[in-house]
Amino acid sequence: MEDIVTIKDVRKTYADGFEALKGISLNIKEGEILALLGPNGAGKTTLISAICGIARLSSGSVTVGGFDIISQYRKARSLIGLVPQEIALDPFARVMHAVRFTRGVFGKRKNDAYLEELLKKLSLWDKRSSQLNTLSGGMRRRVMIAKALSHEPRILFLDEPTAGVDVELRRDMWKTVAALKATGVTIILTTHFIEEAEAMADRVGVIMNGRLLLVQEKNQLMQQMGQKELEIQLNEPIATIPSDLVEYGLELINNGRSLVYRYDRNRTRKGIRKLLADVSAAGLVMQDLKTRQSSLEDIFVDLIAAAETRDLA
Amino acid sequence: MNTRAMVTIYRNEMLRFFRTLTQSFLSPVVSTSLYFVVFGAAIGNQMEAMQGTDYGAFIVPGLVMLSVMTQSISAASFGIYFPKFIRTTYELLSAPISVFEIVCGFVSASVTKALIVGIFILLLAELIVDYRIEYPLYMLAFLLLTSVCFALMGFIIGVWAENFEQLQVIPLMLVTPLVILGGSFYSLSVLPPFWQTVTLFNPVVYLISGFRWTFFGQADVPVIFSLIAFGIIGSSCLAVIWWIFRTGWRLKA
């Protein structure tokens, strides 16, 4: 896949001196879904705003589809669709007018057949004549997406697309994003919901304090950084871990009814067979065994904690 | 040039005008017509002629200018302030449009709205008072220049304003007094010499004087000064707007 967005050493310092972006470099591949994760104030929205022309860069450069976002802003911006975090719509406009308006300001010729198809895909066709202030929050968020797609962009930026929406709508939104990816649209989304990134993203980027901590294929990241847990459920609860088992670094949970063993999934010799033998030798009777792989959330929390420790140091 | 974007902004603004006809059209037409009824038909006959013109007719250009100036300002300022208020400016800032195209879209719609109101008031005045227009084409040109200058000013106010109170404060506290004290209802010649001199510092005097000249062929100040005033006001506003978009003041983070 070719790079469709190239970000080189982008910095952004606000008028009050706050440095929101501290030299971010990132390449986004055509057709992928890239999830940008990070705590509040990490710089995710600032980065998106800078790429889309809403915030000014302090230094660095960005190209979109090979076009510089400043000197060739017309060509660069015409490739981008943006769904901001906040729902921002003219409350008195009607759905069809709102999407026609966005298509128009992007300089695209009127094409109601395309807009009809788009509104149908987003389950908005029945609401096309409704005033926006009469729609539910979920419907209005869909209108935001419809507006962003109205000019047929190749890249879609979704800033916290499912913030404040219920679980059902969130799942719906994921389906919509997957369908968009299938049509070849490159999607960059910021999210607080790590579950969302885990469900949708091809690659994950983690931003904190204006710095990009890492960008990696999601599966590779989870393989490399993920740990596995083995939970040994005991027949009878125990008060302390037997001294013969101390070397395994076990954790006692469930009021002494379970032992947890953590191990690197990539290690060739994981020591499980020996552990189980030693557990039996220690006189403990096993009732059941359970394994669990660490989620992207665990990895994210570890990364953020490590970065915070580094920053403090 | 993204002509389609300009047309889209223009049509969107005009749609808002037609959606709110009572506020944007009926209200200024009715309130200005009341001046004609009171100063023209009711007490105008009791007053002396001004610059050789019946008082009722004399105030027609001033009142049309008052309407056009205030309507141009309010239409343009609200036009850009409303997207700021509802946070939809992101759409304009992220679209492939130049500053010139954005300003053209908003200003041309504001000019159209103000001209519709101004011309309608002019036609309505015909029913109440007798007046003549000596130079109709120049009159239209003056009307157009006035509405463009004040729409540009309104655009700046709309970008500057951070709340609805600020949006109103300059039109109400500055522009309306300047128009009323700028010869809308009287000729400068009726003022004592000191106040005549003071009044000449009011830029609106030059605009109203020039506009009145197109009606009756008489002006308080030479017409060339009126044209220079248009040039200074218009170019100052354009310079400020260029600076706003260059720096992103109150629009971009």
Side-chain angles (χ1 to χ4, degrees):
Chain A
M1 285 191 288
E2 281 185 21
D3 292 338
I4 194 162
V5 178
T6 310
I7 301 163
K8 278 187 194 156
D9 196 26
V10 162
R11 290 169 190 274
K12 170 69 188 174
T13 307
Y14 286 103
D16 61 4
F18 174 68
E19 202 178 359
L21 300 175
K22 298 169 182 168
I24 287 192
S25 296
L26 169 67
N27 290 345
I28 299 168
K29 295 170 187 167
E30 184 155 21
E32 74 170 337
I33 298 182
L34 173 72
L36 290 174
L37 298 174
N40 282 333
K44 307 182 296 286
T45 300
T46 306
L47 180 63
I48 286 185
S49 301
I51 298 169
C52 295
I54 296 166
R56 301 160 65 82
L57 300 178
S58 299
S59 66
S61 66
V62 178
T63 62
V64 175
F67 304 111
D68 184 82
I69 59 161
I70 294 168
S71 60
Q72 296 168 295
Y73 72 95
R74 285 186 197 269
K75 285 179 175 167
R77 289 184 195 173
S78 64
L79 300 175
I80 298 175
L82 168 66
V83 183
Q85 194 171 335
E86 278 179 58
I87 294 179
L89 295 165
D90 180 346
F92 307 110
R94 295 178 192 280
V95 173
M96 193 61 170
H97 173 79
V99 286
R100 275 191 195 135
F101 176 78
T102 310
R103 189 176 169 87
V105 292
F106 273 79
K108 282 273 187 174
R109 194 182 294 276
K110 193 176 172 184
N111 184 349
D112 281 353
Y114 168 76
L115 295 182
E116 180 180 338
E117 194 188 322
L118 178 65
L119 293 182
K120 280 180 176 166
K121 262 188 211 163
L122 292 165
S123 311
L124 283 169
W125 182 241
D126 293 343
K127 301 282 181 187
R128 64 190 179 280
S129 303
S130 302
Q131 239 180 11
L132 292 167
N133 58 3
T134 64
L135 299 184
S136 66
M139 281 291 181
R140 274 184 279 168
R141 203 164 274 279
R142 280 169 206 255
V143 175
M144 296 286 288
I145 296 180
K147 279 167 78 69
L149 293 171
S150 64
H151 61 282
E152 301 161 64
R154 282 168 59 196
I155 306 157
L156 181 66
F157 285 91
L158 295 163
D159 195 2
E160 303 276 358
T162 54
V165 304
D166 60 34
V167 178
E168 194 182 347
L169 185 61
R170 191 179 307 160
R171 304 266 170 194
D172 258 17
M173 206 67 86
W174 293 359
K175 279 185 202 160
T176 307
V177 171
L180 284 173
K181 178 185 154 68
T183 63
V185 176
T186 306
I187 296 160
I188 297 98
L189 63 95
T190 69
T191 180
H192 276 106
F193 297 107
I194 297 166
E195 187 194 0
E196 193 159 276
E198 202 167 331
M200 289 196 293
D202 297 312
R203 284 198 307 156
V204 173
V206 178
I207 298 185
M208 193 186 160
N209 292 337
R211 287 196 183 89
L212 194 62
L213 300 182
L214 68 82
V215 189
Q216 213 165 357
E217 298 287 333
K218 179 189 69 188
N219 295 333
Q220 204 183 5
L221 176 71
M222 290 176 70
Q223 274 210 336
Q224 272 181 15
M225 301 195 66
Q227 286 193 326
K228 283 197 88 170
E229 285 181 358
L230 170 70
E231 184 182 334
I232 305 165
Q233 293 177 350
L234 304 172
N235 221 9
E236 294 295 329
I238 54 171
T240 53
I241 297 169
S243 56
D244 293 350
L245 302 177
V246 168
E247 61 174 297
Y248 294 101
L250 300 174
E251 188 186 351
L252 195 58
I253 60 166
N254 288 345
N255 297 321
R257 291 190 170 276
S258 299
L259 288 166
V260 176
Y261 173 57
R262 292 187 179 85
Y263 59 95
D264 184 347
R265 54 177 291 157
N266 298 310
R267 235 167 56 194
T268 326
R269 297 178 68 85
K270 299 178 177 72
I272 294 174
R273 193 179 298 174
K274 185 170 179 294
L275 168 69
L276 295 180
D278 287 349
V279 167
S280 293
L284 303 177
V285 181
M286 290 178 277
Q287 191 183 57
D288 203 356
L289 293 174
K290 275 202 298 195
T291 59
R292 190 182 80 87
Q293 186 178 329
S294 59
S295 64
L296 191 57
E297 181 162 356
D298 300 323
I299 298 168
F300 174 72
V301 170
D302 288 346
L303 275 169
I304 296 295
E308 274 172 349
T309 313
R310 266 203 312 275
D311 283 355
L312 281 173
Chain B
M1 184 179 278
N2 190 348
T3 317
R4 210 165 270 131
M6 281 193 286
V7 173
T8 303
I9 295 170
Y10 177 85
R11 288 176 66 177
N12 194 51
E13 287 302 297
M14 291 312 294
L15 192 73
R16 192 187 348 264
F17 175 73
F18 290 113
R19 211 164 54 198
T20 56
L21 272 181
T22 311
Q23 181 201 339
S24 51
F25 175 74
L26 211 56
S27 167
V29 167
V30 168
S31 59
T32 311
S33 304
L34 292 176
Y35 283 106
F36 292 128
V37 172
V38 174
F39 293 107
I43 61 171
N45 294 333
Q46 314 294 318
M47 296 176 77
E48 279 184 28
M50 198 81 68
Q51 289 180 338
T53 305
D54 283 345
Y55 188 70
F58 180 85
I59 61 169
V60 170
L63 286 174
V64 170
M65 282 296 251
L66 174 67
S67 305
V68 167
M69 286 173 182
T70 51
Q71 287 307 306
S72 305
I73 283 193
S74 68
S77 59
F78 189 78
I80 187 67
Y81 178 74
F82 188 60
K84 267 178 60 185
F85 181 69
I86 59 173
R87 298 176 187 279
T88 54
T89 37
Y90 82 88
E91 219 167 11
L92 296 173
L93 298 174
S94 62
I97 331 174
S98 67
V99 176
F100 175 76
E101 290 151 5
I102 293 176
V103 174
C104 269
F106 280 105
V107 167
S108 58
S110 307
V111 167
T112 309
K113 293 175 198 178
L115 289 182
I116 290 173
V117 172
I119 289 170
F120 197 84
I121 288 171
L122 208 50
L123 295 174
L124 201 67
E126 178 80 16
L127 302 174
I128 304 165
V129 291
D130 278 337
Y131 68 87
R132 66 178 198 280
I133 302 173
E134 196 98 358
Y135 308 109
L137 286 180
Y138 288 148
M139 186 275 289
L140 287 173
F142 265 87
L143 213 52
L144 186 66
L145 280 172
T146 305
S147 51
V148 169
C149 285
F150 280 76
L152 289 170
M153 207 182 289
F155 190 88
I156 296 167
I157 293 168
V159 172
W160 164 76
E162 289 185 309
N163 53 49
F164 279 98
E165 195 186 353
Q166 287 184 350
L167 197 65
Q168 297 292 332
V169 77
I170 293 184
L172 284 177
M173 303 299 288
L174 187 68
V175 177
T176 306
L178 283 181
V179 178
I180 288 176
L181 299 174
S184 299
F185 295 98
Y186 51 83
S187 162
L188 261 58
S189 58
V190 302
L191 296 174
F194 172 75
W195 290 109
Q196 274 190 36
T197 309
V198 170
T199 306
L200 287 175
F201 286 97
N202 176 357
V204 177
V205 164
Y206 300 88
L207 311 186
I208 293 178
S209 167
F211 190 56
R212 186 169 284 130
W213 169 80
T214 66
F215 279 69
F216 312 120
Q218 290 192 20
D220 284 321
V221 292
V223 177
I224 187 71
F225 285 4
S226 301
L227 294 173
I228 290 170
F230 278 121
I232 292 172
I233 295 171
S235 53
S236 308
C237 291
L238 282 173
V240 173
I241 289 170
W242 175 80
W243 173 82
I244 285 173
F245 279 93
R246 193 173 159 269
T247 59
W249 182 71
R250 300 225 164 156
L251 286 176
K252 283 191 183 190

